[in-house]
Amino acid sequence: MLCLRQVCLFTLRRYQARTLCSDLLLSQINNCTHEDEVFSLVGRNKARLSEKHVGIALNMLWQFQKERPFLLRTSDYVRNHPQFLTLCILAESKVEHMEDEVIVDTLYSILRLNVEDDVSLAKVLVTEAWKRLERQVLLSLPALSKFALCLYKQHRHFSPIIGQVAHIVDMKLDSIQDIRILSVLMISISEVITESFRDRLLHKAEQLLEEEHEVHFNYARRILQFLQNVKLRYHPVLEKCNRIFLESASHLDIHSINHIFGLYEQLGCDNAEFRLIAKQLLSETIDDYYDPETFAKLFYSLGPMAESKVRERLLVHAVNMAEEFSSHQVLMILKTMRKMKCRNSHLLKKMASVLHKHLDSYQVLQLVKLTHYLVVLHCQDLELFAKLKMLLLGYLKSSVIPADTAAIIRVLAMLPSSQVEEIIINKAAAALPQCRLHHLNCIATALVKWNHHGQLHWHNSSELCAKLLQKVNDCGFQRVQKANNLNLLLEELPYVNGEWFEEVLNEETLAICQHLIDQITWANVLPLSFFLIKSEHRCPALFDRIASVTVENIDKIPTSEIYFILFLFSALNYDLPDNEEFFKSCIQHLTSNLSHLETYHLVLLGHVLAMAGYFPPVLITTIFNVSFLSKLDAQLKVLPHTMKQRVHSSLMKLNRAVCLECPEFHIPWFHEPYCQRVFHNSMSQINPQRQHIHRMLTEILGGSHYSRISVLTPYYYEIDFECVLDVNKKPLSYMAQNISLGGVGEIHLRYDIKDEGRKALPPGAQRIALEFLDSKAFSKDYSRHLKGEPAVKKRHLEMLGYRVVQIPHFEWNSMVLSTKGEQLEYLRQQLYGIQ
């Protein structure tokens, strides 16, 4: 008994000593202030390290890196240290004894230290965590979110283990009350969730974003990433994320701003206020970015919205840093130059010279983008294009993915002096049965271009090309005709542009959309409206259905989307059977939610309503307000060039419409300087057809002094021809015109800004505006209905006192008017109102 007691006491003392020693070692690891201290402890205590010590040590190594600025991190040094390998081997041997949180923390730490995903330790940790999930040993929510993030960083987006995590999140969603945890889980499982589960996640995120008083911008950024992953613009959540970005803007660095801008671009949305703040922050710190990675992000974020002086400094920095850019950074610079419409020859030459050493490192789709950017920017390096063609052809020969094949063929057709090789035709033919409409469009466009430019030089090439193009047409018809799901069809249509689709498939696609008309819902009226706007066809059945679905679900459709639906009806000048009810419902919803729209969106909305003849007082008084216009002016400086021009033009047209149609608002006409600049920059020669019509008018009226050509009216409408008939319908003479009536090369538009010829008319006299309308003025369906803009112009010219005579191109160029005599008689009837 005494011996047994002595053994027990010895064992207890040894255990207590070991525990004390272990606690002391743990304390020592926790008190380290540098990697070398951790490694020194590991080297001296290898035999005594438990699974807990190993986990803490690896976590400490990541914490040291995390606390340093990105450029001062030493992850390479840590990974290559002998004692780091020791820690990894020990962790791998002790993984089964680790607690759940230690497993996750260890996996997270080694991944953040940029250890390769396929190293043995990472695999063992993932496998062990998966086993515990399958045994329903559920991790805590924080540990589960960290583990899910690790899987996401390992690109296991479609792995069964992600499905397991998604199942747990589905069961425990109601209990998640932390937006940080939810945001991590959302992006991690985004690729394996159903549509209904996606909606539940978004509603939960919306709820938590509403409840939290302060939300870190990183959480909002993750939710934006989730929306991008699931390819959805859910406006309630988007608006909340935008608010968080605005509140956090002053604390953001270039990396965060760059990431947010990238997400906005991928989602096809924007936040002008955030852009304005970001522009100011980045412009102030432009000289602080010396390393290539950070500068490339600065160039991408600031370049498209920079003013001229800042833009020049960016270009100079880019030229000086060109040799240091990586392959990815060169691609980012070129992409931004394209967005900026910047063809700086010096920088472009520098980028081209640097590209020669990077070409072999690009993946196929990166090479496609690169080629596209260089062509659009008018790069002149033929040697570079020759290398690109060789690489693209190499990728094409081995390509088995239809999307890649179509993309390669599309950019090969863009290359200068690119002769077509037989391999291209053969690969295109093999890929056709699996191609979506966008891919077929790429191939058809390339074939038409090659054939048009005579680049098919090998034996029977033209015949093979013609046969292949017919096969492309057949595949397109089959794909459209087999469509039985409107949503799936609409997913393909935004990416199809150009003459091939318009000439071959447009009418068939419209017919299928009408066949699937019962599948139109509030969720797909926007993409359907986009397609109809692009097609420029008036389809009464589809238009009526879109209107009825919109009115029935007006509270579900985001306010910014209603603008595009209204644009469809206004731009194509379609009057619904219940037009008043439709516009009244939309206007009521919009005016009660104006705060949800961007400043420049209000201008676009005002213009599209004015086109249809609606002027909501709340909207008009909001827009034509000094503070609003000042805010708009500031935001226009950060918008893309194309959008900026569109908003400027829309504001001018809205201003003109309000002045002419709603004088009771007492809104002044303040766009004269803008209109003068636009007309001065767009001066062009009169085309031969208008010259021909003017000669006929001269013959009918009895002299050139009885008509004016290219007249600028009050409020800056340009009309093709003007004449004045007295009460007896005889022409009245103008003052001498400063217009030569010689050859085409001598005739230019006369912009009569002061309109000195516009004097008071004699009693009973009538001023006539004669307009030649080309195909752009009419819808492309068989109805040849006048579109919204020319209809508004006619309405406004009549308000200015004109009798408007419109000459449609299809009447003027018809067989009925095939002789000069018939044309003269037609013009005479139009001028004098003879029926």
Side-chain angles (χ1 to χ4, degrees), residues 11 58 62 67 105 114 136 144 185 209 230 302 352 416 435 454 465 486 503 505 574 634 654 679 813:
T11 304
L58 287 168
W62 159 240
E67 291 166 5
D105 287 342
N114 298 323
Q136 297 187 350
L144 183 68
L185 289 169
L209 287 171
V230 298
L302 182 58
C435 283
C465 179
L486 183 60
E503 293 176 4
L505 291 181
Y574 180 77
L654 176 60
F679 280 109
N813 297 323

Side-chain angles (χ1 to χ4, degrees), residues 235-236 238-240 242-243 246 270-273 558-560 586-603 605 618-619 622-623 628 631 635:
H235 290 270
L238 258 177
E239 290 174 6
K240 289 178 172 60
N242 287 341
R243 173 180 52 79
L246 285 173
D270 212 339
N271 183 343
E273 286 187 64
T559 48
S560 58
C586 290
I587 289 170
Q588 184 177 351
H589 180 71
L590 287 164
T591 51
S592 60
N593 290 279
L594 292 183
S595 61
H596 295 283
L597 289 168
E598 290 268 14
T599 303
Y600 66 93
H601 281 164
L602 294 182
V603 174
L605 176 62
V618 174
L619 181 61
T622 298
I623 292 173
F628 176 91
K631 185 178 179 181
Q635 290 189 3

Side-chain angles (χ1 to χ4, degrees), residues 355-399:
L355 272 172
H356 283 280
K357 67 180 181 183
H358 288 310
L359 285 183
D360 292 333
S361 63
Y362 288 110
Q363 297 176 353
V364 57
L365 292 182
Q366 290 177 318
L367 210 61
V368 166
K369 290 178 182 177
L370 179 65
T371 307
H372 178 70
Y373 299 152
L374 290 170
V375 171
V376 171
L377 292 170
H378 296 181
C379 176
Q380 300 299 314
D381 192 332
L382 297 181
E383 183 186 351
L384 178 61
F385 281 130
K387 288 183 179 179
L388 283 167
K389 180 180 179 181
M390 183 182 67
L391 287 169
L392 288 166
L393 284 173
Y395 277 119
L396 183 65
K397 288 174 184 176
S398 59
S399 174

Side-chain angles (χ1 to χ4, degrees), residues 33 91 304 319 349 479 539 596:
T33 57
V319 168
K349 286 179 182 176
R479 187 161 186 88
C539 300
H596 295 283

Side-chain angles (χ1 to χ4, degrees), residues 258-273:
N258 178 263
H259 196 171
I260 292 168
F261 278 163
L263 290 171
Y264 277 144
E265 181 181 339
Q266 291 167 332
L267 280 167
C269 61
D270 212 339
N271 183 343
E273 286 187 64

